[in-house]
């Protein structure tokens, strides 16, 4: 991979990078398309990173479709598919590995539900950045908290990498595409779309009525109840500031509503940016 990237650099090509865990869908392919716009040579990695899964999570069940992924990537114009194994990503004992932590931002929301998750993400992304040495790295906005944490890591550790966030790709009902949607039944796939609809309804009410502490509390509570009634188990629904993902305060203009809820066997996350 290094030799191929170095050869591209010798030809004065810029390098774009899309890290993934495979089982690629149109959302990932959109990231490749955007990476192509920003760089001359595009590397895509597929690595199901064990350190970002908690003990009771779906590491062993995580879908793997490497042949289909390779075909789709070739079609979408990726130049290099990097498929490292555990021995490449974590040589030696995993528990002796240096860990990259973004404190604060990594501990809230998904970080509360999944305490090891973001340390696993930042550690593996940091290592992948050092391996690939991209000029530009592309991530989906569906994982909004992940994207914010990676931007923070890149700033804090002075990585010379431009991070580009890409809008979420959705199915015909509005459900955000995710490899974990494969765990849902047909009926649940339809129900899943309610997550985004709920966020949209919260956004309309914030735009109409203005941001107050009381309205935020009311909307967060009512939305959780609506989702519960529809069969979800909501983990959090929260109105935050885009800049640092802290809870929104009166006067904030650039907001994002973040949500996570379990539906059947899948833990779904979604978000909606709101400008006031
Ligand atoms: O978003 C993902 O697929 C993963 O968290 C990432 C960024 C590839 C790190 O393993």
């Amino acid at each position: 991979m290094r030799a191929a990237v170095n050869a591209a650099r010798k030809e004065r090509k810029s390098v774009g990078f899309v890290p993934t865990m495979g089982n690629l869908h149109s959302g990932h392919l959109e990231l490749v398309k955007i990476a192509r716009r920003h760089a001359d040579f595009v590397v895509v990695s597929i690595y199901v990173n064990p350190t970002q899964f908690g003990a009771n999570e779906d590491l062993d069940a995580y879908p793997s479709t490497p042949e289909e992924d390779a075909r789709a990537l070739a079609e979408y114009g990726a130049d290099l598919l990097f498929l490292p194994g555990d021995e490449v990503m974590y040589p030696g004992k995993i528990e002796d590995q240096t860990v990259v932590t973004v404190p604060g931002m990594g501990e809230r929301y998904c970080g509360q539900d999944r305490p090891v998750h973001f340390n696993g993400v930042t550690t593996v992304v940091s290592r992948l950045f050092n391996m690939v040495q991209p000029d530009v790295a592309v991530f989906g906005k569906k994982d909004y908290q992940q994207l914010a944490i990676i931007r923070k890591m890149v700033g804090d550790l002075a990585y010379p990498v431009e991070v580009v966030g890409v809008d979420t790709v959705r199915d015909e009902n509005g459900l955000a595409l995710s490899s974990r949607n494969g765990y849902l039944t047909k009926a649940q796939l339809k129900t899943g779309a309610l997550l985004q609809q709920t966020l949209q309804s919260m956004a309309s009410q914030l735009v109409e009525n203005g941001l107050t502490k009381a309205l935020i509390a009311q909307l967060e509570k009512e939305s959780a109840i609506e989702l519960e009634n529809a069969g979800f188990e909501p983990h959090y629904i929260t109105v935050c500031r885009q800049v640092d993902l802290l809870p929104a305060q009166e006067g904030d203009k650039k907001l994002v509503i973040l949500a996570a809820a379990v539906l059947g066997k899948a833990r779904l996350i979604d978000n909606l940016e709101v400008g006031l």
Side-chain angles (χ1 to χ4, degrees), residues 23-24 29 46 64-75 81:
N23 189 236
L24 304 182
L29 298 173
I46 296 182
S64 166
T65 49
E67 281 90 17
E68 288 92 323
D69 293 351
R71 270 198 295 276
L73 288 173
E75 219 173 279
L81 170 56

Side-chain angles (χ1 to χ4, degrees), residues 139-188:
F139 294 85
K141 282 194 188 176
K142 194 200 115 218
D143 297 298
Y144 204 92
Q145 190 179 2
Q146 167 174 284
L147 175 61
I149 286 171
I150 286 167
R151 284 192 197 284
K152 179 88 169 59
M153 176 189 85
V154 162
D156 288 355
L157 300 183
Y159 274 101
V161 178
E162 182 194 347
V163 175
V164 173
V166 175
D167 287 340
T168 304
V169 178
R170 300 180 179 279
D171 73 7
E172 64 282 8
N173 298 317
L175 173 65
L177 296 192
S178 161
S179 299
R180 290 190 168 98
N181 292 356
Y183 302 152
L184 298 175
T185 63
K186 265 192 181 164
Q188 287 167 342

Side-chain angles (χ1 to χ4, degrees), residues 105 141 144-145 147-149 151 239-249 252-258 271-276:
M105 202 185 263
K141 282 194 188 176
Y144 204 92
Q145 190 179 2
L147 175 61
I149 286 171
R151 284 192 197 284
V239 183
C240 317
R241 301 137 53 115
Q242 285 177 27
V243 62
D244 51 14
L245 302 192
L246 284 170
Q249 306 286 335
D252 287 337
K253 299 281 175 220
K254 287 187 166 183
L255 310 175
V256 57
I257 313 176
L258 303 177
N271 62 75
L272 183 65
E273 288 177 328
V274 189
L276 295 184

